[in-house]
Amino acid sequence: MTSVSTRLVRLLNMVPYFQANPRITYDEAAIDLGVTVDQLREDLTQLFLCGLPGYGPGDLIDFEMDGTTIEVTFSAGMDHPLRLTSPEATGILVALRALLEVPGMVDPAAARSAIAKIESAAGTASGQEGGVAAASDEPAPVESSAAAAVRSAVRDDHALSIDYYSASHDVLTTRVVDPIRVVLVGDHSYLEAWCRSAEGVRLFRFDRIVDARELEERSAPPEPAVAAGPDTSLFDGDPSLPSATLLIEPSASWMFDYYPLRVERELADGTCEATMTYASDAWMARFVLGFGSGVRVLEPQSLVERVREAAVAALKAYELGGAEVGG
């Protein structure tokens, strides 16, 4: 899989290239563009979905292809040099900087380079070279070795061995997976992959991949799993697992960044009601008690009673221990 920035540059240049080389063959174009014929066909399919607002027939880029040659029949304006207005450049910069904060989505060095180039062009046009130069010299964010290994394996279609922390089960497991794609759900990036041990598609959150090692063997997820598109069923809850409704105080709101919670509603005082699936009542009771008064169980009642009993037992043990020390 080609990096996003590299492919974007190629796509932006393809229409002018084909206009300058009408009726060029697939093999010749692939050599000139430095890609395989299969990748060229994939790029052309992508371009068929691009065009002018309206995005209907007559608005999208179009080609005439007779099986062996390619010719542009409608360029949708992409035959002109790309020129960004100030708002457009600002929007792209904001998006690129946001992607830099999400592990695994882009190559940090490539994104930083793109940011520097856009800033430089915008600064030159507005006469602000001094401020832009300082921004352009910013180093690329440091990418974790695990995130880099995952991104490389997705790009090169290699299998991965990962050490993964499961928050709902409170365990660290090692498994071999066949990467499919990197997806963004909410504020987090996930590796979607075929898990060989589970024999199914799973989503692995990047910040819970403790370690990752790219393997020499090719990634080989089942074709139906690849064709099915991103599987976000994790966020709908596993119907085979129990689900708890929690009342979360603002002081414990950081837990949304680390645990698979779904916000149901926000209250006027800043607290939130959220649901969370879990593997066992014993684990969930320990989990909730660890937050003290910051988290309270609303449902199910069986879990409410279990947490209450555990809290009472802990207080009795504390009082007994204090009495023994005092005696």
Side-chain angles (χ1 to χ4, degrees), residues 17-18 21-30 37 40-41 44 48 62-73:
Y17 167 81
F18 284 117
N21 298 276
R23 293 294 176 184
I24 192 169
T25 67
Y26 282 91
D27 290 336
E28 292 170 334
V37 172
L40 176 61
R41 293 182 185 278
L44 289 169
F48 273 124
D62 200 5
F63 298 90
E64 181 180 328
M65 297 175 284
D66 64 4
T68 59
T69 63
I70 309 162
E71 184 172 10
V72 178
T73 55

Side-chain angles (χ1 to χ4, degrees), residues 1-326:
M1 182 180 293
T2 308
S3 68
V4 173
S5 57
T6 301
R7 189 181 184 208
L8 176 59
V9 171
R10 186 173 67 249
L11 288 171
L12 290 173
N13 285 295
M14 281 180 67
V15 174
Y17 167 81
F18 284 117
Q19 285 189 313
N21 298 276
R23 293 294 176 184
I24 192 169
T25 67
Y26 282 91
D27 290 336
E28 292 170 334
I31 292 172
D32 286 348
L33 295 170
V35 296
T36 64
V37 172
D38 287 342
Q39 180 63 60
L40 176 61
R41 293 182 185 278
E42 186 176 331
D43 289 345
L44 289 169
T45 299
Q46 182 71 50
L47 285 171
F48 273 124
L49 303 176
C50 302
L52 301 172
Y55 307 109
D59 300 319
L60 303 179
I61 295 170
D62 200 5
F63 298 90
E64 181 180 328
M65 297 175 284
D66 64 4
T68 59
T69 63
I70 309 162
E71 184 172 10
V72 178
T73 55
F74 180 64
S75 67
M78 288 187 65
D79 50 335
H80 302 299
L82 177 63
R83 298 187 185 279
L84 298 175
T85 65
S86 179
E88 289 171 340
T90 300
I92 292 175
L93 288 172
V94 170
L96 283 172
R97 289 195 177 105
L99 285 174
L100 280 174
E101 301 298 322
V102 184
M105 294 303 294
V106 296
D107 180 343
R112 182 62 249 174
S113 175
I115 288 172
K117 290 174 182 176
I118 295 173
E119 287 177 332
S120 178
T124 299
S126 60
Q128 298 175 349
E129 293 86 352
V132 172
S136 301
D137 290 338
E138 292 177 17
V142 177
E143 185 176 37
S144 72
S145 59
V150 172
R151 194 167 48 76
S152 175
V154 173
R155 181 190 65 229
D156 298 333
D157 290 328
H158 285 171
L160 270 172
S161 173
I162 63 172
D163 295 336
Y164 189 74
Y165 173 69
S166 172
S168 60
H169 291 76
D170 193 24
V171 295
L172 183 68
T173 61
T174 299
R175 60 186 85 192
V176 175
V177 301
D178 296 293
I180 298 175
R181 59 180 67 89
V182 174
V183 297
L184 184 64
V185 181
D187 296 327
H188 297 285
S189 51
Y190 294 78
L191 167 68
E192 183 184 17
W194 177 265
C195 178
R196 296 184 184 181
S197 56
E199 296 186 341
V201 175
R202 295 292 185 270
L203 289 173
F204 302 99
R205 208 165 101 174
F206 264 77
D207 58 2
R208 293 184 189 152
I209 300 175
V210 179
D211 192 20
R213 295 165 296 283
E214 186 175 0
L215 306 179
E216 293 295 329
E217 60 183 294
R218 305 291 294 180
S219 175
E223 186 56 38
V226 177
D231 178 11
T232 58
S233 59
L234 166 69
F235 305 94
D236 298 325
D238 186 339
S240 67
L241 294 176
S243 177
T245 302
L246 308 176
L247 184 66
I248 301 171
E249 297 287 336
S251 61
S253 61
W254 58 267
M255 65 189 295
F256 287 101
D257 293 331
Y258 294 93
Y259 299 99
L261 293 155
R262 179 187 291 278
V263 176
E264 299 298 337
R265 64 177 181 141
E266 297 184 23
L267 306 181
D269 60 358
T271 59
C272 289
E273 285 187 12
T275 55
M276 176 178 175
T277 56
Y278 57 97
S280 70
D281 283 355
W283 181 90
M284 194 62 180
R286 292 197 305 273
F287 173 78
V288 172
L289 286 171
F291 290 93
S293 61
V295 178
R296 183 158 59 92
V297 179
L298 300 179
E299 294 179 346
Q301 190 59 35
S302 61
L303 183 60
V304 173
E305 295 297 331
R306 181 146 193 163
V307 171
R308 180 180 295 117
E309 291 170 2
V312 170
L315 287 173
K316 285 183 177 180
Y318 178 79
E319 292 170 357
L320 179 61
E324 290 178 349
V325 171

